[in-house]
Every structure is written in structure tokens, then in C-alpha cells.
Amino acid sequence: MLTYEKLKILMVKRNIEWKDLVKDKVIVQQTRRALVNDDYVDIKTLEKIANHFNVDIGDIVSIKK
């Protein structure tokens, strides 16, 4: 199972809210819901988010064991 806990922590550190990512057209509402619920998200979307934060994909997603 994937988890986006790293992304959530990064957002807190940078004082960014989900609505900011939607407003900046980094993600859409449906993607926001998937990320909040640790559901699967398209790899291109993860790439877009990582580029927005200037980090690697591994800095925003991990596998929960």
C-alpha cells in the first residue's frame, strides 16, 4: 500500500494546503481526495507534484508495510 505521509509532512513544513495545490492547478479535487486517503495516483501526477515542490517522487510517496 502506498502512503503520501511524506507529502503531507512536506506541505506542513512549507505551509501549503491542499487547496493551494488545486488553485495552482498542480492537482484536481479528485486527486486531492486520493492523496488524502492514500489511494493510488497516476505516476504523471506524482511527477507533477514532485516538480512543483522541487523534490524527487520518493520524497512524497512511500510504501507502507
Side-chain angles (χ1 to χ4, degrees), residues 7 21 26-27 31 35 41 44-55 60:
L7 172 60
L21 294 179
V26 178
I27 61 173
T31 302
L35 292 166
V41 175
K44 288 184 179 187
T45 302
L46 294 176
E47 179 183 21
K48 189 174 181 181
I49 295 166
N51 286 336
H52 180 77
F53 284 100
N54 198 30
V55 298
I60 60 172

